[in-house]
Amino acid sequence: MAETATKTQTKKNPMQEIRIEKITLNIGAGADPKKVEKAIMLLSTISGMKAVEAQAKKRIAAWKLRPGLAIGAKVTIRNNTEELLIRLLKANSSVISKRKFNENGFSFGIEEYINIPDVKYEPKIGIIGLNVSVTLKRPGFRVKKRKLSPAKISKSHRITKEDAINFAKEKLGAIVE
């Protein structure tokens, strides 16, 4: 009987497994269109995907912003995320502050893109930093976003801050301080 009890304890529910839903890379460039173009070029080389402009939504006269003005660049990666995330973490020596974790994910910044392995310095771009946001999910989160009869995710199925920290430590080899 002891053997069957240990076997049931070691089995994990596959619906409780945490996965990476997406990685969002973001660079804020201000109102300068040249910096926005450099940011788009950089994000395209890092991700291998086409980056898009982030546009201002409000008018802020003191910052010389108006609606529709390009103020940054972003790219969302949904495929091959784990390999890219490990590379991005190596740029920060795999260290993430505990403050950077929240419910359903975490984020961190990279001061200079040349710290990322396999990314070469590009004189046209110069030195730019970027922000990385990681969104986590569990199987079954589709229930919240589906068109027909959407439902709430129960508290036991949500990803807490502690769950996100454990995922980063175990799956990604991150050091959480």
Side-chain angles (χ1 to χ4, degrees):
M1 271 206 239
E3 291 177 26
T4 57
T6 57
K7 285 182 181 176
T8 56
Q9 290 174 355
T10 58
K11 282 187 178 180
K12 277 191 153 185
N13 184 351
M15 294 298 283
Q16 290 292 320
E17 179 187 338
I18 297 176
R19 301 176 185 164
I20 300 171
E21 180 181 1
K22 63 182 175 180
I23 298 174
T24 307
L25 304 177
N26 178 27
I27 297 175
D32 187 11
K34 291 179 184 176
K35 286 184 181 177
V36 173
E37 287 180 29
K38 290 178 182 180
I40 290 172
M41 285 175 29
L42 175 61
L43 291 179
S44 296
T45 57
I46 292 173
S47 67
M49 300 176 67
K50 184 180 177 190
V52 296
E53 292 179 347
Q55 296 182 342
K57 295 182 180 181
K58 292 183 179 180
R59 176 179 299 279
I60 303 175
W63 295 347
K64 298 180 182 176
L65 294 181
R66 62 184 185 279
L69 181 68
I71 56 171
K74 62 184 177 180
V75 63
T76 302
I77 302 135
R78 296 182 191 272
N79 299 326
N80 303 325
T81 54
E82 197 164 328
E83 301 160 6
L84 178 64
L85 186 55
I86 290 171
R87 279 182 42 218
L88 294 171
L89 278 171
K90 285 181 183 175
N92 270 0
S93 304
S94 298
V95 177
I96 306 174
S97 172
K98 212 173 212 178
R99 299 178 329 182
K100 308 287 182 168
F101 287 88
N102 60 7
E103 192 174 291
N104 294 334
F106 59 95
S107 55
F108 58 95
I110 298 174
E111 290 183 20
E112 299 175 352
Y113 74 91
I114 56 174
N115 295 338
I116 302 169
D118 301 329
V119 177
K120 304 278 190 248
Y121 174 73
E122 186 69 38
K124 290 183 213 171
I125 296 173
I127 298 292
I128 301 176
L130 61 130
N131 298 324
V132 180
S133 292
V134 181
T135 306
L136 303 174
K137 69 173 182 174
R138 284 193 165 121
F141 271 36
R142 177 187 169 276
V143 170
K144 185 169 70 173
K145 296 182 180 181
R146 66 185 176 192
K147 204 171 197 179
L148 293 175
S149 66
K152 291 184 178 179
I153 303 293
S154 70
K155 285 187 179 180
S156 63
H157 201 63
R158 292 185 187 146
I159 298 172
T160 62
K161 182 177 181 177
E162 289 76 29
D163 291 337
I165 290 171
N166 290 335
F167 174 80
K169 285 181 181 177
E170 293 170 11
K171 287 271 186 158
L172 305 173
I175 301 165
V176 179
E177 294 180 343

